[in-house]
């Protein structure tokens, strides 16, 4: 059974930082492309960042230079370091794993507010 479990969300002030983690089980983690997506209230889910099995990364324009995705294959975990957070970053953040199938976590809430 595949499980993706996100953690690290919370309430932070504008300009602050958070690090999200996603622990995966039930998959051969190292061969999967991993990603982070987010969905704000009333909006569609959107790509935040992805990292391939070869560690190539891709970012949404809105987060370039502020967010960093990384992976630790020994821990079956993908991370999203978020710096210089803005109120527009407020959303439910989902972990995603893609190879021959697509899997999603349950999400972790990030709220950026004074």
């Amino acid at each position: 059974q595949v499980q993706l479990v996100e953690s690290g969300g919370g309430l932070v002030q504008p300009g602050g930082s958070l690090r999200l983690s996603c622990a995966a089980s039930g998959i051969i983690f190292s061969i999967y492309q991993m990603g982070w997506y987010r969905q704000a209230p009333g909006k569609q889910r959107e790509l935040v960042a992805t990292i391939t099995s070869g560690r190539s990364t891709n970012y949404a324009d809105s987060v370039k230079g502020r967010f960093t995705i990384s992976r630790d294959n020994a821990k079956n975990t993908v991370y999203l370091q978020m710096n210089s957070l803005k109120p527009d970053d407020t959303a439910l953040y989902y972990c995603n794993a893609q190879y021959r199938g697509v899997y999603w976590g349950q999400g972790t809430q990030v709220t950026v507010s004074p």
Side-chain angles (χ1 to χ4, degrees), residues 12-93:
V12 63
Q13 292 185 342
S17 298
L18 283 174
R19 188 175 83 152
L20 306 184
S21 300
C22 171
S25 59
I27 59 173
I28 304 173
F29 181 81
S30 61
I31 66 174
Y32 273 72
Q33 174 174 294
M34 301 299 298
W36 289 96
Y37 290 70
R38 67 187 181 186
Q39 188 167 18
K43 295 187 177 181
Q44 290 188 330
R45 191 173 298 188
E46 62 177 5
L47 168 74
V48 176
T50 59
I51 183 167
T52 68
S53 58
R55 301 181 187 271
S56 295
T57 58
N58 180 53
Y59 296 92
D61 287 344
S62 59
V63 307
K64 281 181 181 176
R66 300 189 298 123
F67 291 10
T68 302
I69 189 170
S70 61
R71 65 191 296 160
D72 185 337
N73 289 343
K75 295 182 178 180
N76 286 2
T77 301
V78 61
Y79 304 97
L80 185 69
Q81 178 66 44
M82 306 186 294
N83 299 328
S84 302
L85 282 160
K86 305 174 181 179
D88 283 350
D89 296 318
T90 296
L92 190 60
Y93 282 70

